[in-house]
């Protein structure tokens, strides 16, 4: 009995189905993916929302808080109110998108900031 990757079925354990199936080490976790050379852990999902305190802590840790605060200071009043009084910051919100654009953050960087923010309590 072995561990294989099949183009049609993906990972399986048992007897080899097809001669083209690639034998691999046993998958450590059900969500891990094979990259052709090793098992990689599944990416951490991006939180849908974080609290303002979590967001500020993540921005501070990434050395982006001052830049965001500068962008907020020069933004319209609606953005300033959202920064000051929002109960949560939603990843998919236009507010987050506009601040990210103003500071020059990519989508991947925003996702990483939200992941980081979720680790703060």
């Amino acid at each position: 009995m072995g561990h294989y990757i099949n183009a049609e079925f993906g990972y399986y354990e048992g007897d080899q189905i097809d001669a083209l199936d690639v034998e691999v080490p046993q998958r450590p976790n059900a969500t891990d993916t094979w990259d052709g050379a090793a098992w990689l852990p599944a990416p951490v999902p991006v939180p849908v929302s974080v609290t303002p305190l979590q967001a500020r802590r993540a921005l501070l840790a990434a050395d982006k808080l001052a830049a965001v605060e500068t962008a907020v200071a020069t933004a319209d009043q609606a953005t300033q109110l959202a920064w000051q009084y929002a109960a949560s910051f939603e990843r998919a919100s236009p507010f987050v998108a506009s601040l990210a654009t103003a500071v020059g953050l990519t989508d991947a960087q925003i996702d990483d900031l939200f992941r980081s923010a979720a680790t703060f309590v």
Side-chain angles (χ1 to χ4, degrees):
M1 182 162 110
H3 310 277
Y4 301 93
I5 298 287
N6 175 288
E8 185 178 350
F9 303 110
Y11 174 77
Y12 68 93
E13 297 179 10
D15 295 328
Q16 191 170 19
I17 296 173
D18 187 296
L20 297 177
D21 294 353
V22 176
E23 188 166 10
V24 296
Q26 184 174 9
R27 180 166 49 186
N29 298 298
T31 57
D32 290 353
T33 57
W34 183 253
D35 75 347
W39 288 107
L40 300 176
V44 175
V46 178
V48 173
S49 67
V50 295
T51 68
L53 178 57
Q54 288 174 310
R56 285 176 173 89
R57 286 182 172 168
L59 289 164
L60 180 63
D63 200 28
K64 299 289 184 188
L65 183 59
V68 169
E69 288 179 338
T70 299
V72 168
T74 60
D76 60 22
Q77 191 172 21
T79 299
Q80 293 174 9
L81 288 171
W83 179 251
Q84 292 174 343
Y85 300 110
S88 66
F89 294 144
E90 307 291 325
R91 171 59 182 94
S93 73
F95 166 74
V96 169
S98 68
L99 281 181
T101 299
V103 177
L105 296 173
T106 66
D107 281 342
Q109 289 172 313
I110 299 165
D111 290 346
D112 287 344
L113 282 166
F114 266 74
R115 287 185 192 104
S116 172
T119 67
F120 294 101
V121 288

